[in-house]
Amino acid sequence: MSSAAAAAAAGGGLIPFILLVAIFLSLFPPCLSQKSCTLDTFSQNRLYSLCNSLPQLSANLHWTYHPQNSTVDVAYRAPQTSDGWIAWALNPTGAGMDGAQTIFAFHDSRNAMTAVSSPITFANPTVKNSSLSFKVYSMSSEFISNTMIIYAIIELPRNRTKVNHVWQASNIFSNGLPSGHATTGPNIHSSLTLDFLSGQSSVSVNSGLRRKNIHGVLNSVSWGILMPLGAIVARYMRVFGSADPAWFYLHVACQCSAYIVGVAGWGTGLKLGSDSKGITYGSHRNIGITLFCLATLQVFALLLRPNKDHKYRLYWNVYHHAIGYTIIILSVVNIFKGLDILDPDRRWKNTYVAIIATLGGIAIVLEAVTWSIVLKRRRSGGSDKPYRSSNGTVGVNGYA
């Protein structure tokens, strides 16, 4: 097999594999850890029929469902300091916090525990003491041994026992009312679908979280994998004369594919930003905008590439490689920032680290191999000038 064929086969085999790994990982929902809730006790000898140990924020939910009038007695409890707040909500229209009909518990200005209700939407995230979209017959709260508890009797919306519920905890206040929470880690995963009749829980179909995962996968595959892979192909495969011009077309295919997929990922990021008013990730957003601008310049630079004998070709090469390596470095940095924001299962980050480490290892090996080939050519009396391919690009490491 010629070097060109080998390069094409290697690149063509690796890309589908990487895409398959990314898609495969995206199908796994977060694991639901289980902690016992059966030992919880409550004041006034309150008893509940069922309970669930929630997978985030070390919280538990206890309830008794009354089918005769479609009401539920609820006790939500979570660890919290005296200067913080907790919240529990049903979301009749979706999953997550957008549209959540929420009950908050916290210490008021007199240092007495209080409970207030307030609908929460992304368009209007301010907490107000107002009615919910379903009946709340009673609600109260208490603070015992660094644990806050919400008690409520509610009427299930449209008598549906299977509902999306959300819970939160934070120490942020504004004008004496709860205001905002962490936008990474357990706080963004604290939602489930719960059946009050059977007690079964499952991961909520959270469209916002799904879009975040899609955004992460698209950008990881494009900027974080295809871009470095295309650079490796261009830097090392062109040393072999028989790989010309296959390496060039493979390089262009990798980079153009990365740009197209990356633009899709960038677009989902813009959509996420517009849907999450008041929540910003400054450095992640700014690096993403910079990457999009630099990559767009690279695409247009390809159309303006001077002929191989043009006096400005050297300057174009310097520009092309400098911008290319800058994009790769910023891409990897921004992907890790995105992983820190999403805070997914650890295997996501471990898998990406393994892929980048593998590409880095391949680059190190090829760096040594190609330099040994160049030095061997020189010792055998070959030209000291770098190999120049038919498309006019320089073909020896160190001269690109």
Side-chain angles (χ1 to χ4, degrees), residues 82-295:
S82 59
D83 60 346
W85 57 264
I86 64 170
W88 179 80
L90 295 186
N91 192 334
T93 59
M97 289 301 298
D98 191 22
Q101 306 296 305
T102 313
I103 299 175
F104 296 86
F106 56 96
H107 284 97
D108 62 16
S109 57
R110 299 170 299 171
N111 201 34
M113 281 297 294
T114 186
V116 302
S117 61
S118 177
I120 298 294
T121 63
F122 288 153
N124 185 19
T126 304
V127 176
K128 301 176 181 178
N129 193 3
S130 56
S131 300
L132 304 182
S133 63
F134 50 81
K135 284 186 179 181
V136 179
Y137 293 100
S138 70
M139 61 180 182
S140 60
S141 62
E142 65 181 1
F143 179 73
I144 302 174
S145 302
N146 287 324
T147 298
M148 287 188 178
I149 306 173
I150 294 173
Y151 299 106
I153 301 175
I154 63 173
E155 183 179 272
L156 291 179
R158 297 185 295 277
N159 197 22
R160 293 181 179 176
T161 61
K162 192 172 185 179
V163 297
N164 295 318
H165 76 120
V166 188
W167 60 99
Q168 277 298 343
S170 177
N171 295 78
I172 303 174
F173 287 84
S174 176
N175 298 322
L177 292 172
S179 175
H181 57 78
T183 53
T184 60
N187 293 83
I188 64 171
H189 299 303
S190 55
S191 64
L192 288 174
T193 296
L194 171 66
D195 191 332
F196 279 116
L197 184 60
S198 67
Q200 295 298 309
S201 288
S202 59
V203 177
S204 301
V205 183
N206 189 331
S207 59
L209 183 57
R210 184 190 296 117
R211 287 199 300 270
K212 289 180 181 179
N213 289 338
I214 292 172
H215 170 73
V217 169
L218 290 176
N219 286 298
S220 296
V221 171
S222 57
W223 307 111
I225 298 175
L226 289 178
M227 280 284 184
L229 182 62
I232 289 173
V233 168
R235 179 166 176 80
Y236 301 113
M237 292 299 101
R238 59 187 172 188
V239 172
F240 306 96
S242 58
D244 180 55
W247 72 264
F248 176 74
Y249 295 116
L250 186 56
H251 169 67
V252 171
C254 283
Q255 305 308 74
C256 288
S257 299
Y259 180 74
I260 293 170
V261 177
V263 169
W266 186 70
T268 60
L270 293 179
K271 176 63 175 174
L272 286 169
S274 66
D275 290 343
S276 305
K277 292 178 174 59
I279 301 176
T280 57
Y281 305 99
S283 59
H284 182 67
R285 178 192 60 191
N286 294 336
I287 293 175
I289 293 172
T290 302
L291 282 172
F292 172 76
C293 294
L294 291 177

